Amino acid sequence: MRVAFAGTPEFARAALERLPAAGFTVPLVLTQPDRPAGRGMKLQPSPVKQFALERAIPVAQPRSLRLDGKFPDEAAAARDALLEARPDVLVVAAYGLILPQWVLDLPRLGCLNIHASLLPRWRGAAPIHRAIEAGDAETGVTIMQMDAGLDTGDMLLEERQPIAPDDTTASLHDKLAALGGRLIVEALELAACGGFQPVKQPEQGVTYAHKIEKAEAAVDWSLPADAIERRIRAFDPFPGAAGQLRGETVKLWKARAVMRGRGSVEPGTIVALDEHGVGVACGEGRLELTELQRPGGKRLAAADFLRGFPLEPGERFTP
């Protein structure tokens, strides 16, 4: 089977790596254009492109696939590359571009998407972050037959993944990336023998995982402690939850929620300090910050952080 692939970040690379290993021919990879990164802001290839180059797989990097859009020449070149690749199926994982109808129709088996949620919950751009933020007990991976809607296609395979109490987006991402790579191989093996049994998504239970914005990093201390703790885990590694303290933006990487009802202290006020954490009053309960980071510094356990940045009870994180 000839399997073209469209994806960009590490989540997608984990799936792409599984395809040649499982015996599938990958004649073409589509990925986002190189982006500036690092201190020197030099152009860097995506993780998917890096793997494709290592395996000498042809790569196309159009800024759009719309033949009537802003970059019609790039879209036409990508279409020519796909036609030449003659894929039986296109696997899509966190690609970052909308696929127009001509792409969906081109492979004889259509386009299969690796989506990091249990559809129809958390359709959209940030399903891992939003599942943790919402306090979901589990998530998973769905292999979906793509259609013109936003993550609305028929489901082909699904597997659940518990969300651990200490899971961050980083740790859960790695679990789901490995799961997605295994499931897409199973799906392609089913496709090879005509074994698909598509299931329509339920109409009830639809939620949308909106893109994470940098502005969400600022902690709202009026929220309950457990909600803030979930957001800290959800925003690790990006954008990183943060609070303003003495005019500095302090990143908050780990915390424990201590729920003891609504106190009389202004939310954001430091109420306790010891080697185990920095206790901060919240709208409900208290949050013990156990790993923090100053601008330009490293992530530090609370005790090490306090040695370099001594605090006093009564100081307050400001909006």
Side-chain angles (χ1 to χ4, degrees):
M1 182 181 289
R2 297 175 65 82
V3 183
F5 188 88
T8 300
E10 287 291 345
F11 181 87
R13 175 173 174 150
L16 176 59
E17 290 176 347
R18 294 290 298 266
L19 301 182
F24 297 107
T25 297
V26 182
L28 179 68
V29 160
L30 299 174
T31 192
Q32 288 275 335
D34 296 359
R35 306 289 190 202
R39 290 187 177 181
M41 296 301 287
K42 296 181 180 179
L43 289 178
Q44 300 291 332
S46 71
V48 162
K49 180 180 178 180
Q50 291 174 18
F51 179 79
L53 294 177
E54 291 167 8
R55 293 300 187 96
I57 300 171
V59 176
Q61 297 179 268
R63 285 173 286 181
S64 171
L65 290 168
R66 292 182 58 87
L67 297 170
D68 58 352
K70 291 176 62 177
F71 308 103
D73 292 344
E74 294 182 25
R79 179 190 58 187
D80 292 344
L82 275 167
L83 288 170
E84 183 178 352
R86 296 177 292 106
D88 296 298
V89 64
L90 174 65
V91 170
V92 182
Y95 179 29
L97 290 183
I98 295 174
L99 302 190
Q101 194 64 45
W102 72 262
V103 179
L104 299 175
D105 293 340
L106 191 148
R108 67 179 181 87
L109 294 174
C111 301
L112 305 186
N113 179 246
I114 307 170
H115 188 76
S117 82
L118 301 173
L119 291 170
R121 186 162 178 78
W122 302 127
R123 294 173 179 172
I128 301 176
H129 303 76
R130 300 307 182 189
I132 293 175
E133 182 184 17
D136 291 0
E138 64 177 3
T139 183
V141 169
T142 305
I143 305 298
M144 177 192 68
Q145 185 85 56
M146 296 182 72
D147 61 15
L150 176 61
D151 298 329
T152 56
D154 291 349
M155 300 181 293
L156 305 175
L157 285 177
E158 176 187 87
E159 188 165 324
R160 297 174 181 271
Q161 171 67 49
I163 299 178
D166 60 348
D167 261 331
T168 64
T169 288
S171 64
L172 188 56
H173 165 281
D174 292 349
K175 295 174 187 177
L176 295 178
L179 177 57
R182 178 167 59 78
L183 280 188
I184 194 60
V185 169
E186 292 182 21
L188 292 171
E189 289 171 346
L190 283 172
C193 62
F196 274 155
Q197 294 183 342
V199 176
K200 290 191 177 299
Q201 294 188 34
E203 295 182 2
Q204 295 183 336
V206 174
T207 58
Y208 287 92
H210 297 287
K211 182 181 177 181
I212 302 297
E213 303 291 346
K214 287 186 178 180
E216 295 182 73
V219 170
D220 179 357
W221 297 100
S222 68
L223 294 173
D226 58 348
I228 299 173
E229 186 272 340
R230 292 197 303 269
R231 296 195 90 188
I232 289 172
R233 291 189 290 116
F235 296 165
D236 180 358
F238 176 85
Q244 295 294 319
L245 191 59
R246 297 182 189 170
E248 292 190 13
T249 300
V250 177
K251 291 282 189 179
L252 314 174
W253 294 113
K254 289 184 180 180
R256 289 190 298 267
V258 181
M259 301 302 293
R260 293 176 181 169
R262 187 181 297 274
S264 58
V265 180
E266 187 77 14
T269 302
I270 296 173
V271 294
L273 292 162
D274 59 35
E275 62 182 8
H276 301 297
V278 177
V280 183
C282 303
E284 292 183 16
R286 189 180 81 216
L287 197 68
E288 292 185 352
L289 305 174
T290 59
E291 188 175 293
L292 308 91
Q293 180 183 17
R294 293 180 68 184
K298 299 179 180 179
R299 295 189 186 195
L300 296 173
D304 295 326
F305 179 86
L306 291 171
R307 275 192 282 271
F309 194 54
L311 300 173
E312 296 290 337
E315 292 191 76
R316 184 167 174 259
F317 283 92
T318 58

